[in-house]
Amino acid sequence: MPKTRLQECAFTVLMTFVMVYAMICFNIAIAQGAVTPEMFASALQEMLVMWPVAIVIDLLLVSRIAGRAAGAVARRGASQRSVVLAISGTSVLLMCPLMSLAACVLVKGALDASFWPTLLQLIAVNYPIAALWQFLVAGPVVRFAFGKLAAPFQAAAA
């Protein structure tokens, strides 16, 4: 897990890439009704807008709130796994509606009477997938990769 502000930024960049790309692919597949090879390239184009938005939202808001949730869990003497689950759960709980809002405005352009129905549908469809993806794939994979990448730097600093 990140120990410095620089490590937190690097972790956020990795995690948001994995989460945002997967969720964009999911939403394109839902819209098209199928998974296609073109979908993956199309998702990369949308990443140019959504990935920076996710990084900013996470660094400025979500990581602070998730850190407080993790601190509350840790103060109760919980295991490291419980702290990680608190961070991941809080992150998904906040990021999914905020990123759905961003997608509703920036990608779907729903700034008319369809705004609220579109936003609520995006949240309802995306939240279960985002939670599963975070807990089962993105979280473990990114934490493992980050641990391998950060280990040499932590050893050198010690």
Side-chain angles (χ1 to χ4, degrees), residues 1 7 26-27 30 37 40 42 45 50 54 60 69 91 105 107 114-115 123 154-155:
M1 293 300 295
Q7 288 178 349
F26 171 74
N27 280 285
I30 292 294
F40 297 103
S42 179
Q45 290 177 329
M50 298 305 290
L60 295 180
S91 294
V105 172
V107 177
S114 68
F115 174 78
I123 294 169
Q154 290 172 346

Side-chain angles (χ1 to χ4, degrees), residues 35-145:
V35 174
T36 64
E38 296 81 22
M39 171 192 80
F40 297 103
S42 179
L44 287 173
Q45 290 177 329
E46 198 171 315
M47 283 286 289
L48 296 174
V49 173
M50 298 305 290
W51 187 27
V53 170
I55 292 169
V56 169
I57 289 172
D58 190 85
L59 288 174
L60 295 180
L61 178 68
V62 173
S63 64
R64 294 169 194 236
I65 296 170
R68 288 188 192 121
V73 169
R75 279 191 294 277
R76 289 188 224 129
S79 67
Q80 180 66 22
R81 178 172 286 159
S82 296
V83 171
V84 168
L85 290 175
I87 292 169
S88 296
T90 304
S91 294
V92 171
L93 185 68
L94 297 172
M95 286 297 284
C96 186
L98 292 170
M99 290 303 294
S100 294
L101 174 63
C104 192
V105 172
L106 299 173
V107 177
K108 301 227 179 250
L111 294 172
D112 53 13
S114 68
F115 174 78
W116 288 107
T118 302
L119 177 60
L120 293 175
Q121 181 181 11
L122 282 172
I123 294 169
V125 169
N126 286 323
Y127 186 76
I129 301 305
L132 286 171
W133 184 253
Q134 172 59 238
F135 287 117
L136 300 177
V137 180
V141 167
V142 171
R143 280 190 301 278
F144 176 80

